[in-house]
Amino acid sequence: MSSSTDLGRPDADPTGALTRDGRPVSDRGDTVCVIGAGASGLTAVKNLREHGFGVDCYERETGVGGAWNWRHDRSPVYASTHLISSRPFTQFPDFPMPDDWPDYPHHAQLLSYFERYADHFDLRQHVWFGTEVVRVEPVEGDRWDVTTRSTGGYGPERTSRYAAVVLANGHNWSPKLPRYEGLAEFRGEVMHASSYKDPAQLRGKRVLVVGAGNTGCDIAVEAAQQASRCWHSARRGYWYAPKYVFGRPADQVNDTLLALRVPLRLRQWLYHRTLRLTVGDLARFGLPRPDHRVYETHPIANSQLVYHVGHGRITPVPDVARFHDRTVALTDGREIDPELVVFATGYLPRFEFLDGQVLGDAEGTGRPRLWLNAFTVGHPTLAVIGLVQPDSGMFPISHWQSVLFARLLALRATRPDRAAAFDRKVAAGVGERYSAKVKDSTRHWFEVGHVDYLRALQRALYDLEGK
């Protein structure tokens, strides 16, 4: 579990240092702490190791994969989950997925991909499985005290002091639950999509799915095939992108337009034109008209929703007004009688082990204030990896974020002037957006256009290296 640059076990060799409340601390020297061994945590461990740093990674579960390991308690993955971004735009840049995999791999393939990634780069030896982080506290000298214990609260707590910390604990595990009048008195079954795992949970039931994101659309499609009746509630209209356009994965076609620097308005026109030719007017199916232009919300990639609406297996309905004991009132005055309500209403970021003010969330909203969605003012040895909602694959972004942080840490010792210049950019750039105009909602807090964002990361790397 240790490397040649480590000081041994994180709980060994106390140096006499104490935390602010008097607990003993094990000083880990120049070792970096990574929290989470999902996609973002694994690439952070790999890139930090390649830059010469010792790494201790803490993972609360018993295996790698994070959200993509559906055996994990906090995984939002369900039996039919596939990628919604195609394989070439999702894979790590230095570890391609197999060429014979489908365009949109299944979640089980993704888990095997992470396991092979961890084995190929020999990462498991740096991961402490079954260990949860209880507290992360800044201390003098831009260092961090990290307190851990066995997952579930068993055993003693141990505190180790690190040169830097990477937060890679994910942002799709803490359910965002809506509040509706009368919900507590409703006698039917209610669940959040985080508890949905298999279509058998829907079989033969009258189901109301609330939420029109990618997960809500997936569950509605499965309810269309398994439930006795399915209503799908959406507060607003959305643009439903097919997964294939002109015989190619839709994101690959869109990326070609981005590479050619086709202006946003022209891309929007082309998208609308393609939908009119292939699907037609969505309002004809009873779906609400979108109140925004395409690319102004996170893309919904689903080729089957409109199909099942057109076949009468999904009934689109507006937002819920309130719940009664056995029925649900809708905002258009109708009442429906579902047996099961599934809230596919998304997730909120949670850093339960860290004071929100460290990430600039002084008001307690849960929304960090970061530059490049990764760096916070006043804490130059802290980075958040993977806190983005891209319009394409996630893993390349996490890779380059962690490369940037590793190079920044290395330059703090060799070129402190460049590191200081980087800190000034963090202070000036907090709150920058890397996407077209998007709706102001929690769902779009971390929305980025992948091309714009990767270019911003590239500029930051070039500036850091003096190019």
Side-chain angles (χ1 to χ4, degrees):
M1 289 291 297
S2 64
S3 69
S4 59
T5 56
D6 294 337
L7 298 181
R9 287 177 52 87
D11 56 328
D13 302 325
T15 60
L18 299 174
T19 64
R20 293 170 182 170
D21 56 0
R23 289 174 282 114
V25 176
S26 173
D27 194 324
R28 300 290 291 142
D30 292 333
T31 302
V32 179
C33 172
V34 175
I35 301 174
S40 297
L42 288 176
T43 195
V45 173
K46 195 239 2 163
N47 286 311
L48 285 162
R49 292 293 300 144
E50 287 183 349
H51 284 76
F53 292 97
V55 180
D56 291 335
C57 176
Y58 296 111
E59 169 54 56
R60 71 186 309 275
E61 303 288 353
T62 57
V64 301
W68 288 99
N69 192 330
W70 78 326
R71 294 185 293 269
H72 292 176
D73 290 343
R74 292 179 172 181
S75 171
V77 165
Y78 38 94
S80 62
T81 301
H82 288 71
L83 284 175
I84 60 171
S85 55
S86 66
R87 173 170 47 86
F89 291 108
T90 306
Q91 62 197 7
F92 290 117
D94 54 357
F95 194 76
M97 295 181 187
D99 290 339
D100 60 353
W101 277 15
D103 292 327
Y104 297 100
H106 185 257
H107 71 79
Q109 293 174 299
L110 264 293
L111 178 56
S112 71
Y113 175 70
F114 295 130
E115 290 173 338
R116 288 203 296 258
Y117 182 88
D119 293 339
H120 179 78
F121 293 108
D122 197 19
L123 305 180
R124 294 180 196 269
Q125 65 171 313
H126 306 291
V127 183
W128 293 82
F129 293 105
T131 305
E132 63 183 354
V133 174
V134 180
R135 286 181 299 278
V136 176
E137 303 163 294
V139 294
E140 188 177 354
D142 292 327
R143 293 170 66 79
W144 300 87
D145 284 351
V146 178
T147 302
T148 61
R149 67 185 178 197
S150 296
T151 300
Y154 303 105
E157 294 184 357
R158 296 184 175 91
T159 301
S160 303
R161 185 160 294 172
Y162 290 97
V165 170
V166 171
L167 307 182
N169 60 313
H171 62 279
N172 287 322
W173 59 267
S174 180
K176 175 187 173 186
L177 291 167
R179 297 179 181 177
Y180 288 109
E181 183 181 355
L183 180 58
E185 286 73 45
F186 180 63
R187 296 188 181 183
E189 183 182 356
V190 177
M191 70 164 65
H192 187 270
S194 59
S195 300
Y196 176 74
K197 297 300 176 184
D198 190 271
Q201 295 170 266
L202 312 172
R203 193 163 298 151
K205 298 178 181 179
R206 299 185 304 276
V207 177
L208 168 63
V209 180
V210 179
N214 284 291
T215 297
C217 291
D218 280 352
I219 297 175
V221 165
E222 296 198 345
Q225 301 169 74
Q226 300 291 334
S228 62
R229 178 112 192 239
C230 174
W231 298 275
H232 188 203
S233 170
R235 286 183 299 175
R236 62 164 62 98
Y238 288 93
W239 302 100
Y240 298 99
K243 282 197 165 182
Y244 287 91
V245 177
F246 307 125
R248 300 292 299 170
D251 61 348
Q252 296 181 23
V253 175
N254 184 56
D255 216 70
T256 299
L257 298 177
L258 289 169
L260 295 172
R261 297 183 181 267
V262 175
L264 174 62
R265 290 294 186 188
L266 181 54
R267 286 191 289 118
Q268 289 173 324
W269 181 87
L270 289 169
Y271 188 105
H272 292 159
R273 183 68 175 168
T274 301
L275 282 186
R276 281 198 297 269
L277 290 172
T278 56
V279 179
D281 184 4
L282 293 176
R284 181 172 68 86
F285 297 95
L287 293 163
R289 293 184 184 278
D291 60 356
H292 56 278
R293 297 179 67 86
V294 69
Y295 303 124
E296 291 181 358
T297 61
H298 189 70
I300 309 298
N302 194 299
S303 300
Q304 301 180 67
L305 183 83
V306 175
Y307 173 88
H308 286 290
V309 170
H311 284 72
R313 294 297 301 157
I314 298 175
T315 302
V317 296
D319 197 9
V320 171
R322 63 156 295 146
F323 283 78
H324 299 290
D325 59 345
R326 297 187 184 277
T327 62
V328 177
L330 305 172
T331 54
D332 63 359
R334 282 183 286 171
E335 285 199 6
I336 58 177
D337 59 341
E339 300 170 85
L340 169 63
V341 178
V342 182
F343 287 121
T345 46
Y347 301 84
L348 290 173
R350 282 188 64 194
F351 303 93
E352 51 197 346
F353 43 74
L354 184 67
D355 186 335
Q357 294 191 40
V358 172
L359 296 177
D361 180 25
E363 299 176 0
T365 63
R367 182 180 187 176
R369 287 185 51 78
L370 307 169
W371 183 55
L372 291 173
N373 287 46
F375 303 100
T376 185
V377 177
H379 298 285
T381 54
L382 176 70
V384 185
I385 304 299
L387 190 62
V388 292
Q389 189 79 16
D391 59 355
S392 187
M394 173 75 193
F395 312 150
I397 288 177
S398 295
H399 168 85
W400 289 112
Q401 284 179 325
S402 57
V403 167
L404 176 60
F405 187 55
R407 294 183 184 175
L408 173 63
L409 292 179
L411 282 177
R412 290 199 178 280
T414 60
R415 292 296 303 270
D417 55 325
R418 290 184 185 171
F422 186 92
D423 295 343
R424 291 192 291 271
K425 288 182 180 178
V426 171
V430 165
E432 283 183 358
R433 297 301 298 261
Y434 309 96
S435 66
K437 174 188 174 184
V438 293
K439 287 289 181 180
D440 185 17
S441 67
T442 57
R443 184 167 182 256
H444 297 100
W445 275 357
F446 312 115
E447 187 75 16
V448 300
H450 72 287
V451 171
D452 290 341
Y453 185 82
L454 286 170
R455 285 173 179 159
L457 282 178
Q458 184 180 49
R459 285 195 299 272
L461 278 166
Y462 283 168
D463 290 345
L464 194 61
E465 296 168 357
K467 294 184 178 179

